Amino acid sequence: MKKKIMIIHTGGTISMSEDEQTGAVSPGKRNPLTTIPLVVDSDVEIESHELFNLPSPHITTKHMQELSKFIDHQAVENAVEGFVITHGTDTLEETAFFLDITVQTRVPIVLTGAMRSSNEIGSDGPYNLLSSVKVAASEEARHKGVLVVLNDEVHTAKNVTKTHTSNIATFQSPQYGPIGIVTKRGAFFHHSPVSEDKYHVEAVSKNVMLLKAYAGMDSSIFHALKDMKVDGVVLEALGQGNIPPTAVNGIKTLRDADIPVVMVSRCFNGIVQDIYGYDGGGRKLKELGVIFSNGLNGQKARIKLMVALENTRDTSELQQLFLK
């Protein structure tokens, strides 16, 4: 029996074309990927579905939630055994991570995209799509969480990030590297994730803001966020988890209002820890109830806090969730 793989198109550069006169890249009336013949193994059956046709900056958590539910429905009702999602690269890692923590099925789920549009010289979309189908059809891809495949590399949704504005090798996993590669003969894995993090959510409605710390940062933005009555804040702090002393009062104001504050580092390697005891240091922030994240970048910590807040607002529970 053939293995059923579903390709879900959501838009992005991989499905766009470059205007020959102006050079502008934009979506057309028809997704060019739907006309590309994929040469796959004879034991693989491919079904395609166009869920959205959006540039990735237009993707919201509502779209991510719709995609998550669609995948779970197709896996159960139509016995789909693997999914490939084509997506714009700007927010691809956020959608991948959202799916990683919300999709309940354990079949392979792979996201891919392209840095060059379909009619540009050296377009990387068709090959990335073919590579992703190979990974989605691989038995070894099961139980590895949501994967991201571009440029012949397999990355986990938790660790991968876009590192370059235009290079086709833009997707990297700082500190950890890819967990596998793709060749003409198929997918080969050399690492596996050691833990899983899943949440049941029917909707994602919380308003969570993402800020980046900088030298001389004061408390004004935090006071403004308190007045906006946001549901949570993620702060990309300095180094191992520190902020200027002039920003501490703002953090305290948020915590006094019972607004969760999750801290990550603006460094793309390492994790935040409560090491420094000076004013604005991580140890002092820990005493204020700031939640320390275990290695997520800012955009993914925001996604996780939005999802987690649908189930709890308890600081100690949130802290345990962010250690996973």
Side-chain angles (χ1 to χ4, degrees):
M1 184 177 293
K2 290 187 176 183
K3 180 171 287 188
K4 185 185 290 188
I5 303 297
M6 177 175 283
I7 300 175
I8 305 172
H9 297 292
T10 69
T13 299
I14 191 171
S15 62
M16 296 182 188
S17 300
E18 182 182 62
D19 186 283
E20 294 181 0
Q21 294 182 332
T22 67
V25 176
S26 57
K29 293 182 179 180
R30 186 174 182 182
N31 185 340
L33 290 176
T34 60
T35 63
I36 295 175
L38 288 178
V39 181
V40 297
D41 292 340
S42 58
D43 60 349
V44 173
E45 174 187 346
I46 294 180
E47 180 180 339
S48 292
H49 187 93
E50 189 168 42
L51 195 61
F52 316 119
N53 187 17
L54 296 171
S56 62
H58 295 195
I59 296 288
T60 68
T61 51
K62 290 184 178 180
H63 294 110
M64 298 176 195
Q65 179 73 0
E66 183 178 345
L67 179 56
S68 178
K69 290 182 175 180
F70 182 78
I71 290 171
D72 276 330
H73 175 80
Q74 292 296 325
V76 173
E77 299 298 326
N78 294 324
V80 177
E81 298 170 89
F83 295 87
V84 173
I85 299 131
T86 63
H87 196 289
T89 59
D90 285 350
T91 60
L92 185 150
E93 66 189 88
E94 289 165 86
T95 297
F97 184 69
F98 183 95
L99 297 177
D100 192 51
I101 62 177
T102 62
V103 170
Q104 302 304 307
T105 182
R106 300 307 196 266
V107 303
I109 300 170
V110 180
L111 276 81
T112 193
M115 297 302 291
R116 297 170 183 159
S117 57
S118 62
N119 61 341
E120 289 185 68
I121 294 175
S123 173
D124 50 328
Y127 198 85
N128 284 339
L129 180 58
L130 177 60
S131 296
S132 298
V133 171
K134 291 178 182 178
V135 174
S138 169
E139 281 299 312
E140 289 187 69
R142 295 178 66 89
H143 302 288
K144 286 184 170 60
V146 173
L147 302 172
V148 172
V149 173
L150 291 96
N151 203 36
D152 289 336
E153 293 182 338
V154 184
H155 296 264
T156 64
K158 181 178 181 179
N159 295 321
V160 74
T161 192
K162 187 175 182 179
T163 65
H164 196 285
T165 59
S166 58
N167 194 305
I168 62 170
T170 181
F171 282 93
Q172 304 290 329
S173 293
Q175 191 165 247
Y176 303 105
I179 66 167
I181 61 171
V182 187
T183 73
K184 292 184 181 298
R185 292 199 172 104
F188 296 89
F189 292 89
H190 46 75
H191 289 96
S192 282
V194 297
S195 62
E196 183 180 72
D197 196 13
K198 291 288 184 185
Y199 301 85
H200 289 273
V201 288
E202 290 302 318
V204 179
S205 58
K206 305 304 180 184
N207 183 18
V208 175
M209 293 294 183
L210 172 60
L211 303 176
K212 184 187 288 286
Y214 53 86
M217 185 182 201
D218 64 19
S219 292
S220 56
I221 185 65
F222 299 106
H223 293 309
L225 290 176
K226 173 184 173 292
D227 293 339
M228 289 170 60
K229 294 181 171 58
V230 298
D231 297 298
V233 173
V234 173
L235 175 63
E236 292 186 2
L238 310 173
Q240 290 192 64
N242 313 301
I243 61 172
T246 46
V248 172
N249 181 260
I251 296 288
K252 186 177 185 303
T253 298
L254 292 177
R255 293 301 304 126
D256 288 344
D258 197 32
I259 296 173
V261 177
V262 173
M263 188 166 61
V264 302
S265 178
R266 71 179 195 180
C267 304
F268 59 83
N269 280 318
I271 62 175
V272 289
Q273 295 180 304
D274 53 335
I275 301 298
Y276 290 97
Y278 53 73
D279 193 17
R283 184 153 297 194
K284 296 290 187 180
L285 297 177
K286 187 82 166 181
E287 293 171 359
L288 291 177
V290 172
I291 297 160
F292 284 60
S293 180
N294 190 16
L296 290 176
N297 62 23
Q299 52 268 36
K300 292 178 189 174
R302 175 181 173 270
I303 292 290
K304 185 167 184 174
L305 184 56
M306 292 177 74
V307 170
L309 285 173
E310 297 295 333
N311 296 313
T312 183
R313 288 188 62 87
D314 183 81
T315 300
S316 60
E317 290 182 22
L318 289 171
Q319 179 60 82
Q320 290 305 309
L321 294 178
F322 273 91
L323 291 177
K324 293 182 178 179

